[in-house]
Each structure stands twice: as structure tokens, then as C-alpha cells.
Amino acid sequence: MIIQSKKFKNLKDEELIDEIIKNKEIFEEIVNRYQKKIFRYVFYLIGDGKESEDIVQEIFIRTYINLKSFNKNLKFSSWFFRIAHNQIVNFLKKKKINLNFKENIFNIRDEKDIEEEFSKKEIEKSIKKCLDQLPIIYRELINLFYFEELSYEEISDILKIPSGTIAIRLSRAKKILKKLCQKT
């Protein structure tokens, strides 16, 4: 599989999907490309490693099953993250839990100055506390835009809302976040 993997490394996702439809064994390349990214996305929103692993596995299963329905005129990553979004929503509906950012997303290390490190950790805690207070619609946007570094168009495809709405909600999220952080 290593020889095949090198062969497909340079393909765009959309081109790779054509190859996977011909040979399902190549799906491993999609897993390799997206496993860390999708786990990070799920984990930031769910906050539980074991639950996140289960959801990520389900996302890949759903992706594999629905691969033939992928519209090659669209961007694969947006379609894939849409599947992930839907799985997270389903999980939350079943569990009826609030989304929670984990502290380790701001894992800042500075060995030089202990006082500076302590200050950074205090800032981390403060930011985490503020993020945890954001409503889910804003928290998810911040996650997709800042942590996953997706464009407005990609987020629009994932959440099925217009790019303009993304911009407005992101602006609101930053304002709310600023107010929340000023209170602490």
C-alpha cells in the first residue's frame, strides 16, 4: 500500500475520490489526510477523547458509504466536514450536552521565563472560560475559521448558511468573546 500511497499523495481530494470509487482500498489515503484534522475538530467541540474517537470513526464510515453521492464539482473537504458537523449534532442531540473546549488547545510552552509562562497559563484559562461561554453557533464558527483555518466558502458549505451570514456571525462571536473576556 505504501507504493500506492505515494502515487496518490499528489492528487487533489476530488481526483482521489474518482480513484477510490474505482478501488475502495485507496480510501486509506483519505483517512491519512483527514484523521488528525477531523479528530481535532470533533475533540474541540465534544471535549471527550473516547467519544471523539467514536464519532470520528462514524464520520469515516459515513463518508465511505456515501462516497458515490459526492458531487465532484464541490470541494471534498467541505462535504467531509459537513458529514462531521452532522455527526456532532446527532451526538449532541442524543447526549443533550453542551460543547466544551478543552484547556489543551492553548498549550503554550515557554521554558525561558517561568513568570511569563504563568501569565500565559492564566490567559489560557481566561480565554478558555470565555470560549466555553459562547453559544454553540459562535463557538463552532471560531473553531472552523481559526483552528481549522477554513474559508468562509468552506464553512458555508459545511453549515449550509450563506457566506455573508458566516461573516456576520464571526464578527458577533468576536464581539461577544471580547465582552466575555473583559468581564473576567
Side-chain angles (χ1 to χ4, degrees):
M1 191 64 177
I2 295 171
I3 295 170
Q4 276 189 337
S5 184
K6 288 180 182 178
K7 175 183 173 186
F8 298 113
K9 279 262 190 260
N10 297 326
L11 291 179
K12 292 181 181 178
D13 289 341
E14 295 76 17
E15 296 168 332
L16 181 60
I17 299 308
D18 287 334
E19 296 298 322
I20 292 171
I21 290 172
K22 295 175 195 170
N23 180 1
K24 298 283 188 187
E25 291 178 20
I26 305 169
F27 187 76
E28 179 182 352
E29 183 62 31
I30 289 294
V31 174
N32 292 337
R33 288 183 185 189
Y34 284 94
Q35 188 168 19
K36 288 180 183 175
K37 199 172 204 181
I38 204 69
F39 179 81
R40 183 176 58 233
Y41 171 63
V42 173
F43 183 75
Y44 286 168
L45 293 173
I46 301 300
D48 179 289
K50 181 67 176 136
E51 295 281 8
S52 295
E53 286 174 5
D54 292 344
I55 293 169
V56 167
Q57 186 174 11
E58 185 63 30
I59 290 165
F60 281 114
I61 290 169
R62 296 227 184 251
T63 301
Y64 183 84
I65 290 170
N66 294 302
L67 214 49
K68 287 184 180 177
S69 70
F70 170 66
N71 180 348
K72 294 171 193 123
N73 297 323
L74 300 176
K75 195 166 181 178
F76 174 78
S77 61
S78 299
W79 182 77
F80 182 68
F81 270 90
R82 181 66 191 174
I83 292 171
H85 168 79
N86 290 341
Q87 286 304 119
I88 292 168
V89 168
N90 291 341
F91 170 80
L92 293 173
K93 283 180 183 176
K94 285 180 188 174
K95 295 286 184 177
K96 295 182 183 177
I97 61 173
N98 274 331
L99 295 184
N100 186 11
F101 273 86
K102 282 299 193 186
E103 288 181 35
N104 64 356
I105 65 172
F106 295 103
N107 190 7
I108 301 169
R109 279 279 188 251
D110 188 352
E111 303 284 331
K112 296 177 185 175
D113 187 358
I114 294 173
E115 188 174 308
E116 186 178 316
E117 186 173 337
F118 178 76
S119 176
K120 286 181 181 180
K121 288 188 185 243
E122 289 302 310
I123 291 170
E124 287 175 32
K125 288 179 186 175
S126 178
I127 292 172
K128 182 208 175 293
K129 190 183 261 187
C130 297
L131 285 170
D132 285 344
Q133 294 176 44
L134 274 178
I136 182 65
I137 63 170
Y138 299 129
R139 209 175 322 155
E140 185 172 28
L141 278 175
I142 285 179
N143 183 9
L144 290 170
F145 188 74
Y146 290 105
F147 297 112
E148 299 305 325
E149 299 176 349
L150 298 178
S151 69
Y152 284 7
E153 292 78 25
E154 291 170 313
I155 296 170
S156 175
D157 288 343
I158 293 165
L159 301 179
K160 300 293 185 207
I161 54 178
S163 294
T165 304
I166 301 292
I168 291 168
R169 286 185 183 173
L170 202 51
S171 175
R172 285 181 190 155
K174 289 188 280 187
K175 286 177 186 174
I176 293 169
L177 192 58
K178 183 178 178 181
K179 285 180 184 177
L180 289 170
C181 287
Q182 286 174 342
K183 287 180 183 177
T184 56

